[in-house]
């Protein structure tokens, strides 16, 4: 069985799978070594069990995705060649089967049987639940005390400002009227007494 991997940087890896199971990862101890930062040291395992292909996420950081759905870690999931496989630095994995092998979908009946697999069904339910959650319209709730509190605080502040402005205006008017009367009274000219007329006494004694 031949595995063709396409990496993030455009590199392509061709690997002949001669064993029934191989471990893929960044470590040199893996069967298929992919020295890339997006790969975990031990990323995933690909195996052939009685003519069926399975893949297992070995607790990797970036996960393993089948048709865009992340599979559970440390769970062995059936995989068919018509499905899109991606993991770590691998954007797509193409598997070429040997002649005579039973791996792969040769008819619509096999594809239908695979779609009824519990693992695939669980992935489909999770995908639908995620779609419903994202498409649900936002709930409109009645204004709570937290939302009303800022508005009440704002109206209270504006009332205090208006009251303070009113007091300032009244005090200003009071002082204007009081000092206005005082200045007018001081500015009036003092009335000069009428000059007393001195009458000379011309009588001579």
């Amino acid at each position: 069985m031949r595995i063709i991997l396409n990496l993030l940087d455009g590199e392509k890896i061709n690997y002949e799978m001669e064993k029934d199971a191989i471990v893929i990862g960044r470590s040199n101890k893996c069967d298929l070594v992919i020295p890339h930062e997006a790969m975990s040291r031990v990323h995933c395992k690909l195996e052939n069990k009685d003519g069926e292909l399975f893949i297992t996420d070995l607790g990797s950081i970036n996960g393993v995705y089948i048709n865009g759905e992340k599979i559970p870690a440390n769970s062995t999931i059936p995989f068919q060649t018509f499905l899109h496989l991606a993991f770590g630095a691998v954007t797509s994995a193409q598997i070429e089967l040997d002649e005579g092998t039973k791996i792969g979908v040769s008819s619509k009946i096999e594809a239908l049987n695979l779609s009824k697999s519990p693992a695939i069904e669980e992935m489909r339910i999770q995908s639908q639940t995620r779609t419903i959650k994202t498409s649900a319209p936002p709930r409109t709730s009645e204004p709570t005390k937290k939302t009303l509190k800022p508005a009440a605080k704002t109206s209270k502040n504006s009332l205090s400002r208006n009251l303070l402005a009113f007091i300032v205006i009244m005090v200003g008017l009071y002082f204007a009227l009081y000092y206005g009367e005082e200045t007018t009274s001081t500015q009036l000219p003092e009335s000069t007494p009428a000059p007393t007329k001195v009458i000379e006494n011309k009588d001579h004694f």
Side-chain angles (χ1 to χ4, degrees), residues 35-174:
H36 196 283
E37 293 179 355
M39 299 291 298
S40 295
R41 292 180 63 81
V42 180
H43 202 104
C44 60
K45 180 170 69 173
L46 191 64
E47 54 189 330
N48 179 6
K49 294 181 180 179
D50 299 327
E52 294 185 8
L53 195 62
F54 293 86
I55 189 163
T56 306
D57 181 359
L58 300 175
S60 65
I61 295 176
N62 291 322
V64 176
Y65 294 83
I66 298 177
N67 278 357
E69 294 293 330
K70 187 176 183 179
I71 68 173
N74 301 311
S75 298
T76 301
I77 305 296
F79 174 73
Q80 296 291 339
T81 55
F82 72 95
L83 299 174
H84 181 268
L85 177 64
F87 51 87
V90 178
T91 57
S92 63
Q94 180 183 353
I95 300 176
E96 294 181 355
L97 307 176
D98 300 329
E99 292 183 5
T101 181
K102 295 181 181 179
I103 300 175
V105 176
S106 58
S107 65
K108 292 183 179 179
I109 297 175
E110 290 184 33
L112 183 61
N113 291 335
L114 178 67
S115 65
K116 294 179 181 179
S117 168
I120 298 297
E121 187 66 23
E122 184 181 352
M123 290 168 56
R124 184 181 293 112
I125 291 171
Q126 291 177 356
S127 177
Q128 290 175 354
T129 305
R130 192 179 299 112
T131 304
I132 291 171
K133 285 182 179 180
T134 54
S135 60
R139 293 187 302 172
T140 55
S141 58
E142 295 182 359
T144 59
K145 291 182 178 179
K146 289 184 178 180
T147 56
L148 291 176
K149 198 170 182 180
K153 195 172 182 180
T154 305
S155 61
K156 190 175 180 180
N157 291 339
S158 62
L159 182 62
S160 299
R161 285 195 297 268
N162 292 338
L163 184 60
L164 182 63
F166 177 75
I167 292 171
V168 170
I169 292 172
M170 293 301 294
V171 170
L173 287 173
Y174 172 77

Side-chain angles (χ1 to χ4, degrees), residues 5 7-9 11 13 24-28 30-41 43 88-90:
L5 305 177
L7 305 185
L8 287 169
D9 54 7
E11 183 183 354
I13 296 176
I24 305 172
R26 195 177 74 243
S27 173
N28 292 330
C30 296
D31 300 298
L32 176 53
V33 180
I34 303 176
H36 196 283
E37 293 179 355
M39 299 291 298
S40 295
R41 292 180 63 81
H43 202 104
V90 178

